[in-house]
Amino acid sequence: MPSRGNRFRPVEGEATSSGRGTDDLDLASPEPVASGPPTARHGASDPVGTADRLRAETSKRIAGALAGVLSPGALGDVYVGWVAAREAATCPARYRGEGEHGWGFPGWSPPLAGGACGRAALAHHVAEADRAGRPAALPMPLDAIRVWMRALRAPGVTGDGRTPPVERGSVGDWICDVWDAGDPATLAAVAALGGRWMAGFVRVLGWPLPSGLTLLNAPGPAAVSALRWRPDAAAPVTVACGADARLGRVTGAGGFALVVHRVTTGDDDALRVRAAFEAAAAALAIGVAPGSVLITAGDTGDRVTVPVDDDLLALGAERIVIVVEQRVVALERGFDPTDATPSGACRHCDHLADCPPGQAWTHMAARWRGGLPVL
Amino acid sequence: MVDGLGDVLARPPQPPAPDGIAALRTALDDGARAARSVGGWNQDEPLRLSKRLVTGLLRCPRRALSDDQGAGGDDVAVGWVVDAAAKLAAVSPRRQVNVDAAVAFLTALGDSTVAEHLADLGPAAARLTSDATARIDRLAASLARVDAGWWPRVEDPVRVPLAGGAVTVAGRIDVLLGGPPTGRPGVIVEVKGGRWHDAMRADGHLYALLVALRDGEVPASAVTLVSDGTTHVEHIRPALLQHAAERLDESMRVAARLAAGEPPATLPGAHCGHCPVRPDCPAGRAWRPPGDGAASAP
């Protein structure tokens, strides 16, 4: 029997995503970070001006990267979320080699949808309480997921306008399709993973949720659906912020915090890089720089606050631009081992057979596993 | 006997006070730092301990380091099906849980190993399916009776970094009930697909320790549901946490010596019977169960 693998897991040690574009970071970052309670503090002195400058600089660099493209149609849409940012920076050769299939959204699956469904169900739970004019009770995760799934399929009631149909969003549409297809196994898997996301989120942040918390990337009146930015209407580039929530109101004074929740923290990129990407993406999308990024982890229970400053935003913008640059390079050459950067991802890389650096790395890595020699 | 879980949830014991958790963390952190100085791990390349590796290092370091961790097979597949069925029952309590549903659940989670194994077996899969069916029913019934207020979550991840992240201890609890913020005491449920043996207790103890370190509250009980019909209920006492911490500390010491280049010890025992490296292990080949006359043969 083959070793037990997961076809949805491209990276060893990487567990369930918290949703499209919101996965992967490592709380064991060597970067200095300040721990603190989940509050919205910190902040640049001029959050609006900072975001304006970031937009201008990032637009200019993206335009520069695209300037050499003779046939813009050949480039296709360039979607820059955290996963693409991580992939393009950690091994440009591998990222280019993914091609259209790998660059695009692979479609919903339970592991990918766990976070999105958990957020949506929590947003629905909060919205229902708001509609009833009472404080939201502590949600029971599995029940909250089921209630949300049922609500997705229920039509809006009566003509009084008091119970409008539930906003589905992309993941909600998928759930309805799965339901219609009569696939209880997938629904159960989504419930398990979405419930786990919600349980971890609520456990780490506490209940009631912190004052001023708004869920992001979730449908419904109690959440903000999506944070996206395009450098200009003609550019094929979309930058997506994958944060799970926001602490505090967005005002010109800034000071709000992004919240990024991770179910697990495995062999991921450094925490600071993830925070940098989401902070930059949010500043670009909102037009106001966040004051900090609060990273929470379900498996460790940690809450780590990363203050946002110019250096962090520059790091995030750099990661965004790298994606665009590599997509442009990919027009000329896809996978090319000359700039391959070996890592644990080599074990699952489709190009390993053609990649001497990756083969050398895996040969070495095969002699050690989890910090111990392999005999 | 499976009603043991229901009994625990109906009358959960008072968990130990959290007073001792900080001291346990400090002691483990000290041990991890000492081990790090020998083993040479750091944040980027840490020692990654799991319940399996902790037990393996203490049981037989030679086997724990083997590249061959034992091939799968029908017994392993049955174990995975049983495990999945129990989790499915916890997630979908109103649903009829059988082998087909459990395999579909696994596949939906992204793990198609068992489905492929069954397909490879063809008609011979019937024996495996029959074996799994016989084991599933009582386990599923037990977990399906858990009310939602216990917040059942499956494969709940827990990870404790020590020595600044140079050592991490991680696991996924089959089913975790209660604990913060539910207002109910935590109950760890471990599902085992084979036959009960006393060494299974250690897994529950280790997970109780990790959950206590993560949540700052000690779970009340660790319940091991075994597909042979055994339900082992262990109410968590400070002494059990202390014991689990001592085992973890000792496993870090063993790991440090191995990482530093010391040859692994071979510790023969009952585990030799199904050890994949036994053919290359004189001590393992020589080992015989107690009472076996061949053990004393020259």
Side-chain angles (χ1 to χ4, degrees), chain B residues 1-284:
Chain B
M1 293 186 70
V2 172
D3 286 335
L5 177 60
D7 293 340
V8 170
L9 301 185
R11 289 174 295 279
Q14 183 74 24
D19 308 350
I21 295 175
L24 285 173
R25 183 187 294 279
T26 300
L28 283 170
D29 212 49
D30 289 346
R33 290 179 193 283
R36 178 185 64 184
S37 68
V38 177
W41 308 295
N42 55 45
Q43 283 179 326
D44 295 330
E45 297 182 38
L47 170 66
R48 300 177 194 277
L49 290 173
S50 62
K51 69 177 182 186
R52 179 175 177 159
L53 189 53
V54 168
T55 296
L57 289 168
L58 299 179
R59 183 180 285 164
C60 179
R62 172 66 187 85
R63 181 180 179 180
L65 296 192
S66 171
D67 190 30
D68 183 356
Q69 289 299 306
D74 288 359
D75 289 347
V76 174
V78 168
W80 288 343
V81 171
V82 169
D83 185 78
K87 291 168 182 168
L88 178 58
V91 171
S92 300
R94 286 187 289 275
R95 191 167 167 211
Q96 176 68 32
V97 175
N98 54 32
V99 172
D100 288 344
V103 173
F105 182 60
L106 271 177
T107 303
L109 287 168
D111 187 344
S112 56
T113 312
V114 174
E116 291 165 3
H117 184 65
L118 291 173
D120 290 345
L121 286 175
R127 190 194 63 78
L128 188 157
T129 302
S130 172
D131 186 10
T133 299
R135 295 167 185 250
I136 283 174
D137 289 346
R138 279 180 295 183
L139 287 179
S142 176
L143 283 160
R145 289 197 291 267
V146 177
D147 83 66
W150 280 98
W151 268 42
R153 32 303 179 206
V154 300
E155 293 201 2
D156 195 69
V158 57
R159 186 170 71 95
V160 173
L162 299 167
V167 177
T168 66
V169 193
R172 284 176 180 272
I173 298 163
D174 287 337
V175 182
L176 182 60
L177 305 171
T182 65
R184 302 187 188 194
V187 176
I188 289 163
V189 180
E190 276 291 283
V191 179
K192 304 291 185 184
R195 285 182 298 175
W196 163 259
H197 56 92
D198 198 57
M200 288 177 174
R201 296 173 59 206
D203 291 349
H205 300 168
L206 178 64
Y207 278 167
L209 173 65
L210 297 182
V211 168
L213 291 169
R214 182 189 72 179
D215 293 350
E217 293 183 16
V218 181
S221 304
V223 178
T224 306
L225 300 177
V226 191
S227 69
D228 68 359
T230 305
T231 297
H232 183 79
V233 177
E234 193 136 20
H235 299 321
I236 303 301
R237 295 169 282 119
L240 289 181
L241 295 181
Q242 182 67 40
H243 179 59
E246 288 168 359
R247 278 173 51 88
L248 181 53
D249 189 59
E250 178 59 20
S251 72
M252 290 190 288
R253 292 173 202 259
V254 173
R257 293 196 295 268
L258 295 171
E262 186 175 298
T266 52
L267 304 175
H271 48 273
C272 292
H274 45 86
C275 177
V277 300
R278 192 180 194 190
D280 300 323
C281 177

Side-chain angles (χ1 to χ4, degrees), chain A residues 66-149:
Chain A
L66 297 174
V69 178
L70 299 177
S71 173
L75 190 64
D77 293 330
V78 181
Y79 181 87
V80 188
W82 163 244
V83 173
R86 183 197 60 194
E87 300 274 314
T90 49
C91 184
R94 182 173 189 248
Y95 176 71
R96 293 194 307 271
E98 287 177 357
E100 290 293 342
H101 181 70
W103 296 326
F105 181 55
W108 290 110
S109 62
L112 273 180
C117 291
R119 275 192 309 273
L122 184 57
H124 179 69
H125 179 79
V126 172
E128 287 297 291
D130 288 348
R131 198 186 333 269
R134 54 174 166 73
L138 176 69
M140 291 185 277
L142 288 174
D143 275 7
I145 298 281
R146 285 193 201 97
V147 167
W148 168 69
M149 285 182 175

